[in-house]
Amino acid sequence: GETSYDNLFISFFDISYVKWSEKDIKTELVLIKKDLDQYSGYQYQINYKQDNEITCKAAVRVSETDQIGKSADSTKDLSEDTLTSKEYVHKHKRENILISDVNKDLFNKTGEAEMNLLKPPVEHILNDGPVNFRNILYFMETSRQCMNLVSHKYSKFPLDIVSMTQLSVTIEHARPVSYSENIKMTVLPPEGDQVGNIYYFKPQLNI
């Protein structure tokens, strides 16, 4: 019979950029598989190459779960949350905005920036896949949007900056996250260090 992947999820993902990866240049992926113990699943080392140079490195762990998730059969009404402005998250389309604006009351009391993670439309590419859990790309994109929002709005990162990217991201899940769960992300906005036209931020994202 066919292999079922419904009980598999990515439990660990770590990615770091060695240099800029260009959108218009062909990318080669070199994948190395490592067998872990029976409880940890499988881990892969992935090297991204452009023009025969490594531009990015990633480590991915795939684990099994007995948890049954809920499929993406409904979409949260985006009007329920105060959407952040498109320019803060570098998006052109409303359906691609996946975070709310910052909870102002909490920010004024604690200095923490808390945002709701929003559910994309059912047909959205981030809902693609055979499993009933939020995929790793969803958390990669929402963490990127949270970082952009906090950097622009609270750390005075210029909106007209030419290029802005996360240099490294590490995500680890103790368990898979179902589509039906409501998720918040909190960031303690850093002041950041500026060297010339480059700004450095190292926030801690807590889901």
Side-chain angles (χ1 to χ4, degrees), residues 43-70:
Q43 184 157 315
Y44 301 86
Q45 176 69 42
I46 305 173
N47 292 333
Y48 299 74
K49 287 186 174 183
Q50 291 186 335
D51 292 335
N52 209 33
E53 285 189 280
I54 294 178
T55 61
C56 185
K57 295 182 178 181
V60 180
R61 185 184 305 137
V62 179
S63 301
E64 293 188 29
T65 179
D66 294 327
Q67 185 175 330
I68 299 175
K70 182 179 179 181

Side-chain angles (χ1 to χ4, degrees), residues 8-51:
L8 299 179
F9 74 105
I10 295 178
S11 56
F12 177 81
F13 187 83
D14 178 84
I15 187 169
S16 60
Y17 288 90
V18 179
K19 58 181 295 187
W20 291 108
S21 294
E22 303 292 342
K23 290 182 178 180
D24 300 327
I25 297 179
K26 182 180 178 180
T27 302
E28 176 188 1
L29 301 184
V30 180
L31 186 143
I32 304 168
K33 180 182 177 183
K34 290 177 59 180
D35 290 340
L36 303 177
D37 60 65
Q38 60 178 325
Y39 302 106
S40 300
Y42 304 96
Q43 184 157 315
Y44 301 86
Q45 176 69 42
I46 305 173
N47 292 333
Y48 299 74
K49 287 186 174 183
Q50 291 186 335
D51 292 335

Side-chain angles (χ1 to χ4, degrees), residues 55-203:
T55 61
C56 185
K57 295 182 178 181
V60 180
R61 185 184 305 137
V62 179
S63 301
E64 293 188 29
T65 179
D66 294 327
Q67 185 175 330
I68 299 175
K70 182 179 179 181
S71 61
D73 58 0
S74 63
T75 303
K76 185 175 183 179
D77 184 358
L78 297 185
S79 63
E80 292 179 16
D81 288 276
T82 304
L83 283 176
T84 188
S85 299
K86 290 187 289 187
E87 62 266 24
Y88 285 136
V89 293
H90 302 186
K91 288 297 177 185
H92 299 290
K93 297 180 180 179
R94 183 177 184 270
E95 60 265 27
N96 290 330
I97 299 176
L98 300 176
I99 63 172
S100 71
D101 206 346
V102 169
N103 182 327
K104 294 180 181 178
D105 291 336
L106 181 64
F107 181 79
N108 291 334
K109 290 178 181 177
T110 67
E112 284 190 335
E114 179 186 83
M115 293 143 280
N116 290 318
L117 303 193
L118 306 179
K119 300 174 184 178
V122 175
E123 68 278 4
H124 198 282
I125 191 171
L126 290 179
N127 286 329
D128 192 22
V131 297
N132 295 332
F133 306 110
R134 287 284 172 210
N135 64 50
I136 202 72
L137 290 178
Y138 174 78
F139 291 104
M140 289 284 292
E141 176 57 22
T142 50
S143 70
R144 186 195 69 81
Q145 291 189 21
C146 287
M147 265 305 307
N148 286 356
L149 171 61
V150 170
S151 296
H152 285 312
K153 199 167 186 179
Y154 298 103
S155 298
K156 304 186 186 305
F157 201 111
L159 275 173
D160 59 353
I161 197 80
V162 175
S163 58
M164 180 176 177
T165 188
Q166 292 175 316
L167 297 178
S168 63
V169 182
T170 301
I171 298 174
E172 187 166 10
H173 287 175
R175 61 169 179 80
V177 180
S178 173
Y179 280 102
S180 61
E181 295 183 72
N182 292 319
I183 313 166
K184 296 180 184 291
M185 186 174 286
T186 58
V187 182
L188 187 63
E191 292 298 327
D193 298 319
Q194 181 179 356
V195 180
N197 292 326
I198 299 176
Y199 297 77
Y200 294 94
F201 297 92
K202 295 181 179 180

